[in-house]
Amino acid sequence: VAITTIGHDGDDTLWHSENHFAVTTERLVELLHPWVEEPTGAGPVSTEEMLVSIERRNLALLGYGVKSFTLSMIETAIEASGGRIPASAIEEIMGWGRELLDHPVELLDGVAKTIETLSGRYELVLITKGDLLHQESKIAQSGIEASFDGIEIVSEKDPVTYRRVLGRRSVDPGRFVMVGNSVRSDVLPVLELGAHAVHVPYQVTWALEHHDSTTGVAPSFATLGSISELPSALDEIEARAGS
Ligand SMILES: [Mg+2]
């Protein structure tokens, strides 16, 4: 069975993203420091933990991306300060949100060359989740948009979504490989459909993308050190699928 179609995640697979969120989270921790008691063993949670739990709580209503992150930071500031946070601090947080949305797109090392190599051999589809407007603007700025045969900006990356995307494009799951930095979003739901997946970890993983351990499960996907190793990893998948 020949592989015909490669799905690529965007954030932290093609371009940097999570590092900017991590820096912004550090700024929030610093901003809220005067209002937050130092967490002790069983004592109050840290600002970071509070932010993650507020993001988790907001996910079903607000979805992924910078705008929901910004609202969750504001909610964290209000909650952590017991409602005492001044409007000037809220304004500062909103400024960080704007900075995140305005940040220039920086491709990861090896992305441009790898995408160029693959674009002649396979149908390439970019499958990303987050704010529609922000994702569209990152794709437009990336300089690699023309190499993709399709772009799918989705609200959630679960088996239902992948099945819908593949069905709409008439791609047999056995001929599809998804590539991404998140085991939870880019690997496991795709394997569930009988498709293939390649994991390319990024230097930081967002808390809400952490997944339950896959130990005990036979590793049925490759993990690469860099996207530059993708063309040969795809050859291996094809050799295995053909045998
Ligand atoms: Mg990603």
Side-chain angles (χ1 to χ4, degrees):
V1 181
I3 301 299
T4 57
T5 308
I6 315 296
H8 287 270
D9 169 52
D11 292 347
D12 302 319
T13 297
L14 298 178
W15 49 72
H16 292 278
S17 171
E18 193 52 36
N19 57 335
H20 305 311
F21 285 89
V23 167
T24 307
T25 301
E26 278 169 31
R27 287 163 137 189
L28 183 72
V29 170
E30 203 171 306
L31 178 79
L32 298 185
H33 188 76
W35 283 281
V36 182
E37 284 180 51
E38 286 300 320
T40 54
V45 295
S46 71
T47 300
E48 267 168 296
E49 287 167 330
M50 193 183 274
L51 174 62
V52 168
S53 78
I54 288 173
E55 284 186 277
R56 200 186 301 276
R57 197 168 75 201
N58 284 339
L59 204 54
L61 275 176
L62 302 179
Y64 297 90
V66 170
K67 282 183 267 183
S68 48
F69 177 66
T70 306
L71 285 171
S72 293
M73 283 196 292
I74 292 172
E75 203 174 324
T76 304
I78 293 168
E79 208 163 291
S81 69
R84 289 170 299 149
I85 196 88
S88 59
I90 304 286
E91 204 175 0
E92 196 171 349
I93 293 169
M94 288 176 67
W96 299 339
R98 276 193 205 94
E99 262 178 57
L100 284 170
L101 289 170
D102 263 351
H103 203 284
V105 174
E106 304 151 341
L107 294 184
L108 271 73
D109 286 344
V111 163
K113 191 161 176 286
T114 304
I115 294 299
E116 196 195 323
T117 304
L118 297 180
S119 67
R121 295 187 208 164
Y122 302 98
E123 176 190 33
L124 301 187
V125 183
L126 177 49
I127 307 174
T128 179
K129 64 179 156 64
D131 290 327
L132 179 61
L133 188 61
H134 190 211
Q135 292 296 335
E136 283 175 340
S137 111
K138 284 191 278 191
I139 293 161
Q141 280 180 61
S142 69
I144 53 173
E145 185 180 12
S147 299
F148 286 91
D149 301 285
I151 289 162
E152 302 276 352
I153 302 171
V154 298
S155 302
E156 187 55 272
K157 285 175 156 179
D158 51 16
V160 173
T161 304
Y162 283 110
R163 186 176 290 120
R164 195 178 60 228
V165 167
L166 295 185
R168 196 163 49 216
R169 311 190 70 85
S170 304
V171 177
D172 172 359
R175 297 176 180 271
F176 176 73
V177 181
M178 181 68 194
V179 182
N181 70 297
S182 169
V183 171
R184 181 181 163 272
S185 296
D186 304 316
V187 174
L188 299 179
V190 174
L191 295 179
E192 210 176 305
L193 298 185
H196 309 271
V198 173
H199 182 216
V200 189
Y202 185 67
Q203 61 213 31
V204 211
T205 303
W206 180 37
L208 268 59
E209 291 291 3
H210 289 162
H211 62 94
D212 296 333
S213 165
T214 48
T215 45
V217 182
S220 45
F221 59 92
T223 299
L224 309 183
S226 154
I227 199 163
S228 304
E229 299 163 24
L230 186 56
S232 56
L234 293 174
D235 289 344
E236 274 171 42
I237 289 173
E238 234 171 310
R240 254 189 293 128
S243 61

